Amino acid sequence: MSVPAKPRASPLSESMLSPLVPARLSLAPDGTPVSEIYGDVYHSAGGGHTQARHVFLAGNGLPARWRGRDSFAILETGFGLGLNFLATWLAWRNDSRRCRTLRFVSLEKHPFAAADLAMAHAAWPEFADLSERLRRRWPPLVAGEHEIGLDGGDVDLRLVFGDAAETLPRLDGAVDAFYLDGFSPAKNPELWSPLVCRNLARLAGQGATLATWSVAGGVRRALGAAGFAVEKRPGFAGKRQMLAGHRAGGGNS
Ligand SMILES: C[S@@+](CC[C@H](N)C(=O)[O-])C[C@H]1O[C@@H](n2cnc3c(N)ncnc32)[C@H](O)[C@@H]1O
């Protein structure tokens, strides 16, 4: 069994990256958070927490795959409102057989201010305590890396603020599970690009898996060309299908 190295980056400082444009919280008429920049919703209208569990956790075989491990590393494209992170943290806390350390690296070009997160998270009472703890440690909206130790350091959240096209190539380490959660590939193609997919493959540890709600042909081709084997699975809510995959031929360790 491989023991993943902590995903590390060569120090990413603000001066190396383009300045940040923070996100602003807006709601669609049905109450779903929507991005004014991308013209797309942050999660399925069917529910952010349930989507996280169905697509990202179950799609990566979690929580089962972190059991018996010393540490388990997840990398997410698009932290957004942090719902996938909160769902993962909650599932980890509720699992008596969890790995000792959960490492969660998330890339975000347009981070929210803590006050916006508080407003958005109010829709999920089950996250109230974790949301508050996250927001107490929320970093300034400055490009670069922000490491947040939670649960006494057993949960290691690393927020990488900046454009993934700039930040992803500078990361290293061995990732066990990828959450691919950009906006729709038609509206946010740069987060699903061949460059991004190649860098994900470079970071894939032994047995690494991925999951995403998108089954777009361009996404499947870019992931396939980068070395991931992908398959369609039943999707969540309005989506007939989703994608799950693994790094074909192993990965780095
Ligand atoms: C669908 S939302 C993610 C939702 C999130 N995973 C959650 O659990 O709340 C997509 C996110 O990708 C971010 N994003 C879009 N393009 C990006 C890029 N080039 N680099 C980094 N983040 C990007 C957006 O700002 C947005 O927050």
Side-chain angles (χ1 to χ4, degrees):
M1 184 180 67
S2 73
V3 179
K6 176 178 175 175
R8 282 183 300 104
S10 6
L12 267 176
S13 68
E14 187 186 2
S15 61
M16 300 160 108
L17 301 167
S18 311
L20 284 189
V21 177
R24 279 193 13 216
L25 185 63
S26 303
L27 301 178
D30 69 356
T32 309
V34 65
S35 163
E36 290 171 359
I37 299 173
Y38 294 92
D40 199 4
V41 287
Y42 275 87
H43 61 76
S44 153
H49 187 181
T50 337
Q51 174 181 280
R53 285 204 306 254
H54 178 100
V55 176
F56 297 103
L57 281 144
N60 278 296
L62 296 173
R65 279 183 60 232
W66 62 42
R67 294 184 178 146
R69 298 277 299 262
D70 185 51
S71 77
F72 192 90
I74 295 170
L75 186 146
E76 174 179 57
T77 54
F79 185 80
L81 294 164
L83 297 177
N84 292 339
F85 170 68
L86 293 172
T88 305
W89 186 11
L90 187 61
W92 177 87
R93 286 170 64 92
N94 288 340
D95 185 2
S96 59
R97 293 191 283 149
R98 60 183 175 251
C99 53
R100 192 170 60 80
T101 308
L102 176 67
R103 303 192 192 284
F104 197 102
V105 181
S106 191
L107 314 180
E108 181 51 63
K109 184 175 179 184
H110 302 292
F112 282 103
D116 280 335
L117 293 180
M119 270 188 281
H121 292 171
W124 291 277
E126 67 271 35
F127 291 150
D129 171 46
L130 300 187
S131 164
E132 193 192 328
R133 290 207 258 155
L134 171 65
R135 286 182 283 107
R136 252 191 261 133
R137 308 285 310 281
W138 193 244
L141 304 188
V142 168
E145 285 180 62
H146 305 272
E147 192 156 4
I148 303 176
L150 298 159
D151 271 341
D154 288 345
V155 175
D156 177 29
L157 170 63
R158 193 144 60 94
L159 294 167
V160 185
F161 288 166
D163 190 330
E166 289 181 63
T167 59
L168 196 50
R170 300 172 198 255
L171 296 184
D172 59 26
V175 171
D176 296 300
F178 295 97
Y179 292 4
L180 307 187
D181 197 17
F183 288 118
S184 110
K187 296 178 171 165
N188 187 194
E190 62 280 12
L191 202 47
W192 307 90
S193 70
L195 171 96
V196 165
C197 294
R198 278 197 301 277
N199 273 285
L200 299 178
R202 179 180 60 77
L203 291 168
Q206 285 289 331
T209 59
L210 68 82
T212 178
W213 52 269
S214 175
V215 290
V219 170
R220 285 185 282 129
R221 280 190 293 279
L223 288 170
F228 288 101
V230 295
E231 63 175 29
K232 290 179 181 166
R233 293 199 187 158
F236 170 73
K239 291 237 168 255
R240 200 162 57 85
Q241 296 172 313
M242 59 166 272
L243 221 55
H246 63 275
R247 178 79 165 92
N252 74 60
S253 51

